[in-house]
Amino acid sequence: LARIEPNSERSTTVLGIALIKNKRLDEAQELFESYLEDNGDSDIILTNLAKVAAEKGEKEKSLQILWKSLTLNPNQDNGVEW
């Protein structure tokens, strides 16, 4: 998916989640931050970046990123239910 849809929100999300599940947290963080730098804020990408911070034990950072995500889209299921 990342090859046929490079730099898309969907492919970034799928690849990032796979990296998180495989404990490749630094790579996931770099992927999400690169997407945000290139494309601007995305509630979905920010929520997954918050999950990376949480997995790294960075609770305060995780909460700040999640808050920003939910400010962009308060109805985003992935952020609200997490």
Side-chain angles (χ1 to χ4, degrees):
L1 185 59
R3 281 189 281 247
I4 62 172
E5 278 186 26
N7 212 26
S8 78
E9 184 178 64
R10 181 172 69 159
S11 64
T12 300
T13 300
V14 171
L15 178 55
I17 290 170
L19 291 169
I20 292 169
K21 295 222 180 260
N22 286 288
K23 302 296 183 196
R24 294 168 59 181
L25 301 176
D26 290 336
E27 291 173 75
Q29 180 176 346
E30 288 176 25
L31 176 71
F32 293 137
E33 288 175 347
S34 176
Y35 178 90
L36 294 170
E37 188 175 305
D38 293 345
N39 299 286
D41 288 342
S42 158
D43 57 311
I44 294 168
I45 300 297
L46 284 166
T47 296
N48 285 297
L49 184 57
K51 290 179 180 183
V52 171
E55 285 288 321
K56 288 181 160 188
E58 300 169 345
K59 183 179 178 181
E60 195 60 38
K61 181 178 179 180
S62 176
L63 291 173
Q64 289 173 352
I65 297 169
L66 183 60
W67 183 257
K68 183 175 183 179
S69 171
L70 292 173
T71 300
L72 291 172
N73 182 0
N75 297 313
Q76 189 215 135
D77 292 345
N78 191 30
V80 174
E81 294 177 1
W82 171 53

